[in-house]
C-alpha cells in the first residue's frame, strides 16, 4: 500500500493510516479480539414486542468492548425505528402501529462514548414524536449529565439540556445534596423536595413524578409477587435467603403528610399513592 500513489514517505503513510491500523490491532489481538469472529450464538426476533439486550457479560472485556456494543445497539435501535416507521406489521405505510419504547439503562455509559453518542441521544429525544418513540433515560443523579465531556465542550453543552427535553421526570428518593441540585434544574418547590428526601426514601417503589410544569405527584409502584422476584435489584448484595423488600402493609398512612389519597384500585393492604403536591397542600 505504501508503494502506491499518494504517500510520499513511510512516515506520512504510517501517520495517515494509524487510526485504521490501531483499530485492526484491537480487533485481531487487542481487547476486541474474537468479538466479530462468528455469528451471534442466539437468534434475535426483531418482530417480537420486546428486545432486551444484557451487556453485563462484556464488563470483563473493558470499556472498548462495551463502547462497541453500545454503538451497535444504538444503530440497531435506529434501524428498527426506521423499518417500523416505513412498513408496520400489516405491511402498510409507516404511520400505523404503536409507538416503540426505547429504554436506555445506565445512560451515563453511552454518553461517555463521546460527542457522536451524545448527539445521537439528543436527536432521538428531539425527534421522538416524528419517530413515534418514547425515550426513557435512566440515570443515577444529575451529575451524570455534568460529567459528560470536558468542561465547556460541545457534548457537555448538549447533555445539559437532556433533563429539559424529557417531559416526564421520575425522581426516586435522593439525599438532600442531590435534591438541591435537582431543585435548581427543575424548579422544585420545597414540598416537592421534601417528598424526594423524605417520603420517597421510606419504601421501595416510591417516586415524585413531574409532568411538564404541573405540580409533582407522589406515586407508589406496586409489584406482584412475580415482579418482585424479577426486579429484585438488591439480590446481588445478599448471601442469605431473599428478604421481601415490599410487604403487604398500607402505605397510605405515611406520617409525613396528611394529603388526601386517591383511590387507585390497588389490592387491599398495598394501596398506591397518587397525590399532587402544591405549596398550599
Amino acid at each position: 500500500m505504501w508503494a502506491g500513489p499518494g504517500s510520499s514517505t513511510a512516515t506520512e503513510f504510517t501517520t495517515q493510516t494509524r487510526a485504521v491500523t490501531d483499530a485492526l490491532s484491537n480487533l485481531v489481538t487487542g481487547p476486541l479480539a474474537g468479538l466479530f469472529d462468528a455469528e451471534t450464538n442466539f437468534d434475535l426476533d426483531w418482530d417480537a414486542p420486546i428486545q432486551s439486550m444484557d451487556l453485563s457479560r462484556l464488563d470483563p472485556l473493558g470499556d472498548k468492548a462495551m463502547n462497541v456494543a453500545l454503538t451497535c445497539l444504538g444503530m440497531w435501535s435506529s434501524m428498527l425505528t426506521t423499518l417500523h416507521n416505513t412498513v408496520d406489521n400489516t405491511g402498510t405505510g409507516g404511520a400505523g402501529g404503536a409507538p416503540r419504547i426505547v429504554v436506555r439503562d445506565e445512560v451515563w455509559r453511552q454518553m461517555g462514548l463521546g460527542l457522536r453518542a451524545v448527539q445521537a441521544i439528543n436527536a432521538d429525544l428531539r425527534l421522538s414524536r416524528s419517530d413515534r418513540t418514547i425515550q426513557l433515560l435512566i440515570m443515577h443523579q444529575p451529575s451524570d449529565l455534568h460529567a459528560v465531556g470536558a468542561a465547556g465542550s460541545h457534548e457537555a453543552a448538549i447533555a445539559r439540556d437532556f433533563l429539559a427535553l424529557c417531559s416526564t421526570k421520575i425522581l426516586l428518593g435522593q439525599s438532600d445534596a442531590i435534591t438541591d441540585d435537582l431543585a435548581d434544574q427543575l424548579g422544585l418547590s420545597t414540598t416537592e423536595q421534601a417528598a424526594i428526601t423524605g417520603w420517597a426514601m421510606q419504601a421501595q417503589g416510591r417516586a415524585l413524578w413531574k409532568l411538564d410544569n404541573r405540580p409533582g405527584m407522589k406515586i407508589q409502584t406496586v409489584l406482584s409477587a412475580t415482579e418482585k422476584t424479577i426486579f429484585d435489584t438488591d439480590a446481588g448484595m445478599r448471601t442469605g435467603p431473599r428478604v421481601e423488600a415490599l410487604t403487604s402493609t398500607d402505605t397510605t398512612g405515611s406520617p409525613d403528610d396528611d394529603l388526601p389519597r386517591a383511590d387507585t384500585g390497588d389490592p387491599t393492604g398495598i394501596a398506591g399513592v397518587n397525590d399532587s403536591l402544591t405549596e398550599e397542600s
Side-chain angles (χ1 to χ4, degrees):
M1 291 177 63
W2 170 46
S7 297
S8 57
T9 67
T11 301
E12 181 182 349
F13 174 80
T14 302
T15 301
Q16 291 174 345
T17 60
R18 186 175 305 281
V20 175
T21 54
D22 285 350
L24 288 173
S25 296
N26 283 334
L27 287 170
V28 176
T29 60
L32 305 182
L35 194 60
F36 299 105
D37 285 356
E39 294 185 5
T40 302
N41 57 5
F42 59 92
D43 292 328
L44 287 174
D45 181 3
W46 295 112
D47 292 324
I50 297 175
Q51 291 92 26
S52 177
M53 301 187 186
D54 180 6
L55 304 181
S56 60
R57 291 180 63 184
L58 295 179
D59 275 337
L61 300 180
D63 289 339
K64 287 186 178 180
M66 185 65 72
N67 291 353
V68 169
L70 285 171
T71 301
C72 292
L73 184 56
M75 295 304 297
W76 288 335
S77 177
S78 298
M79 176 194 69
L80 285 173
T81 299
T82 301
L83 290 176
H84 279 262
N85 285 347
T86 303
V87 179
D88 64 16
N89 291 332
T90 66
T92 59
R100 295 181 64 81
I101 301 175
V102 181
V103 181
R104 302 174 186 270
D105 197 5
E106 305 290 2
V107 71
W108 60 270
R109 203 159 202 167
Q110 184 175 354
M111 293 190 297
L113 298 180
L115 176 60
R116 294 198 179 191
V118 176
Q119 288 174 326
I121 298 174
N122 185 52
D124 286 342
L125 290 175
R126 294 180 183 275
L127 299 176
S128 59
R129 288 182 182 272
S130 61
D131 289 342
R132 295 180 58 78
T133 62
I134 300 172
Q135 301 282 335
L136 272 66
L137 308 185
I138 302 178
M139 292 175 282
H140 293 268
Q141 53 194 18
S143 61
D144 289 358
L145 299 176
H146 301 166
V148 176
S153 64
H154 190 187
E155 54 261 47
I158 295 174
R160 278 200 304 269
D161 290 336
F162 282 174
L163 277 179
L165 289 174
C166 295
S167 59
T168 301
K169 291 89 171 173
I170 302 174
L171 309 175
L172 300 172
Q174 298 283 5
S175 66
D176 289 338
I178 294 175
T179 305
D180 288 343
D181 193 2
L182 282 171
D184 292 338
Q185 295 189 51
L186 304 179
L188 300 180
S189 68
T190 54
T191 306
E192 291 170 332
Q193 293 181 63
I196 298 173
T197 58
W199 176 82
M201 297 285 282
Q202 294 171 4
Q204 286 188 338
R206 291 184 175 185
L208 180 78
W209 286 48
K210 288 282 291 180
L211 278 65
D212 295 318
N213 294 321
R214 303 174 190 174
M217 295 180 293
K218 294 165 67 177
I219 303 293
Q220 168 76 62
T221 301
V222 179
L223 303 181
S224 68
T226 301
E227 289 171 329
K228 290 180 188 179
T229 302
I230 296 174
F231 298 104
D232 179 20
T233 56
D234 292 337
M237 298 187 294
R238 291 191 296 267
T239 56
R242 183 182 183 279
V243 178
E244 291 292 337
L246 296 178
T247 58
S248 296
T249 56
D250 190 345
T251 62
T252 62
S254 178
D256 60 320
D257 66 68
D258 297 318
L259 293 173
R261 307 294 179 178
D263 181 5
T264 60
D266 293 308
T268 303
I270 49 174
V273 179
N274 186 342
D275 293 337
S276 291
L277 298 183
T278 64
E279 292 295 349
E280 291 74 16
S281 300

